[in-house]
Amino acid sequence: MDTVSIDDIKDGMVTAEDVHGQQGVLIIPRGTVLGEEQIRAMRAYGVRDVAMVSDAVQPDDTAARIAASEARCRELLRPRFSGLDLDAPFGRAVFDLAAERAASRALEAGIDWDAPLSEPCLLAPPPEEQLFSATAVDPAGLVSDEVELATLPEVHLRLLDALQSETSSSQELAACIGHDPGLTTKLLGLVNSPHYGSRAPVDSISWAVSMVGRKELTTLAMGLAAVSAFDDIAPELWDMRAFWGHAAACGVYASLLAEDCPGTAPHRVFVGGLLADIGQLVILRKLPAAACRALLLSRTEGLPIAVAETAVLGFDHTAVGRTLLAHWHFPQALTAMVADHLRPDGRPETRETALVHVADILATAWAWPAFSSAPVPALSEAAWDSLGIAPETLAQVAEAGDVRIRDIESVFFAANPLPRH
């Protein structure tokens, strides 16, 4: 600590002690980085000498702190990205963005890199008889008659009829959806969000149909109805906020990617992304111990969740999702996005499934907390190539996604806000 004459003080110096005027009035608190305004104030109060941390201007170390944080984030993130080729343009772009975003969040959260990072909380309920019985478990057995949409048959079946009929009017569709007030509220909230770019308040389903389109709105309503079917899962059993946070991110990233992929429908891939992992919830509801065991295996061994599920059950959540949506008579295009998003074939006619595949990777890679999240799935190069999207586009997708994901969260999960991505 040095004492510096008021005549020698320069902008950027830092006070080591509180600075008082001649009458004992506090002028500048300790630790203040001085500028012209503070220096003038001290002169006005007759201050002659000031105790300083240093008699040299303190450099701005923000850039250095960001660089150090990003380097540490790269080190900690790398194990989660073992399934992604980080030397390929896509993998390199996704990993670089993940490190940059994590570094920014870490500085914002004030993470102490010298302290041990918290481990993920993994539940371990007692073993279930189904896992050790002579009767094999299969996707059809999980889906059979115990999982139903909360709005069946009044809303869901009518939505299916409306989707398949070219003659149903906006008024008929509005009347169908209006039977479920909760669905109506969420649907209008979503249509009014910046995700759909509404310039004027949309206060009726009929108006929403006119603005968004009959098929688009019907598909969205079906997706929201499917989400509502699992709103009774106990939060102490599973981190449902994180689950639906990932689902919202997957839907948003898929729709943003679709904007650069001609011939695909952003509204449809949004719903496909939202429901991509819905099979996990069926497994959780019917076999909670198996679901938690698969999650534990995934995190401790660094395995993608689908690989861990197959090791525990003999099948993964995409097989259950296919069976579930077929049971609910969902359109084939949506069913394919859910069932095949982990293993897309890369054909031009299945690009919407490829969009959900890529979006799922982005949502996992860019999740927060970054260091305890799930391993990042592998990329199908054929699927990525079929989209014709440049890796440089991913930075814009990440930036636009942050805003849209918060919009979705505020509509779907207003009572229990999700962690920000």
Side-chain angles (χ1 to χ4, degrees), residues 329-382:
H329 306 290
F330 264 56
Q332 185 175 358
L334 273 176
T335 301
M337 284 183 239
V338 171
D340 301 329
H341 76 275
L342 293 181
R343 292 171 288 274
D345 56 26
R347 292 180 298 150
E349 58 267 33
T350 61
R351 287 186 303 161
E352 290 186 342
T353 299
L355 288 168
V356 176
H357 167 71
V358 173
D360 181 52
I361 292 173
L362 302 183
T364 306
W366 298 339
W368 182 266
F371 315 114
S372 58
S373 295
V376 179
L379 173 74
S380 165
E381 293 286 352

Side-chain angles (χ1 to χ4, degrees), residues 61-102:
D61 65 346
T62 301
R65 289 190 298 113
I66 291 175
S69 179
E70 185 173 330
R72 180 62 170 145
C73 287
R74 285 177 175 275
E75 177 186 352
L76 294 172
L77 285 173
R78 196 168 290 276
R80 286 185 53 225
F81 284 76
S82 60
L84 210 58
D85 183 359
L86 302 187
D87 292 325
F90 175 87
R92 185 165 56 251
V94 172
F95 183 73
D96 287 347
L97 285 165
E100 291 171 10
R101 292 161 63 84

Side-chain angles (χ1 to χ4, degrees), residues 222-223 226-227 244 247 270-279 325 330 334 338:
M222 291 171 64
V227 169
W244 288 120
F270 170 77
V271 176
L274 186 68
L275 302 181
D277 295 331
I278 200 167
L325 296 193
F330 264 56
L334 273 176
V338 171

Side-chain angles (χ1 to χ4, degrees), residues 82-399:
S82 60
L84 210 58
D85 183 359
L86 302 187
D87 292 325
F90 175 87
R92 185 165 56 251
V94 172
F95 183 73
D96 287 347
L97 285 165
E100 291 171 10
R101 292 161 63 84
S104 176
R105 292 295 302 275
L107 287 173
E108 180 183 316
I111 289 179
D112 180 4
W113 294 120
D114 295 327
L117 295 174
S118 59
E119 294 294 329
C121 179
L122 301 176
L123 303 175
E128 294 168 317
E129 293 182 4
Q130 295 98 318
L131 290 178
F132 305 97
S133 66
T135 304
V137 180
D138 59 31
L142 293 182
V143 168
S144 63
D145 77 5
E146 297 221 6
V147 178
E148 297 179 356
L149 282 173
T151 51
L152 273 175
E154 291 80 8
V155 174
H156 183 64
L157 293 179
R158 291 181 184 179
L159 287 173
L160 284 171
D161 291 339
L163 184 63
Q164 296 166 359
S165 171
E166 297 293 339
T167 60
S168 58
S169 66
S170 299
Q171 290 73 23
E172 290 172 334
L173 181 58
C176 169
I177 296 173
H179 281 86
D180 186 329
L183 179 61
T184 299
T185 299
K186 286 183 179 179
L187 198 57
L188 290 176
L190 184 59
V191 172
N192 278 294
S193 74
H195 181 69
Y196 272 85
S198 175
R199 295 183 179 180
V202 179
D203 58 6
S204 71
I205 295 297
S206 296
W207 191 355
V209 173
S210 300
M211 191 190 83
V212 178
R214 184 181 61 82
K215 286 192 175 182
E216 290 85 347
L217 198 72
T218 304
T219 301
L220 182 58
M222 291 171 64
L224 294 182
V227 169
S228 299
F230 294 94
D231 60 5
D232 61 343
I233 293 179
E236 62 269 15
L237 180 63
W238 200 260
D239 189 348
M240 293 305 297
R241 293 190 300 171
F243 179 89
W244 288 120
H246 172 84
C250 189
V252 166
Y253 291 142
S255 64
L256 285 168
L257 290 167
E259 293 175 4
D260 288 324
C261 190
T264 60
H267 77 277
R268 189 161 56 234
V269 298
F270 170 77
V271 176
L274 186 68
L275 302 181
D277 295 331
I278 200 167
Q280 289 184 5
L281 300 185
V282 181
I283 298 172
L284 177 62
R285 176 176 280 177
K286 300 296 287 291
L287 297 173
C292 294
R293 194 166 291 114
L295 177 63
L296 180 65
L297 182 63
S298 170
R299 299 301 172 85
T300 56
E301 299 297 328
L303 300 174
I305 187 63
V307 175
E309 289 168 344
T310 301
V312 173
L313 290 167
F315 54 85
D316 64 32
H317 63 276
T318 62
V320 179
R322 181 192 300 277
T323 306
L324 176 67
L325 296 193
H327 183 73
W328 283 346
H329 306 290
F330 264 56
Q332 185 175 358
L334 273 176
T335 301
M337 284 183 239
V338 171
D340 301 329
H341 76 275
L342 293 181
R343 292 171 288 274
D345 56 26
R347 292 180 298 150
E349 58 267 33
T350 61
R351 287 186 303 161
E352 290 186 342
T353 299
L355 288 168
V356 176
H357 167 71
V358 173
D360 181 52
I361 292 173
L362 302 183
T364 306
W366 298 339
W368 182 266
F371 315 114
S372 58
S373 295
V376 179
L379 173 74
S380 165
E381 293 286 352
W384 171 246
D385 291 341
S386 74
L387 299 177
I389 298 175
E392 293 76 18
T393 305
L394 297 177
Q396 287 77 36
V397 169
E399 184 177 359

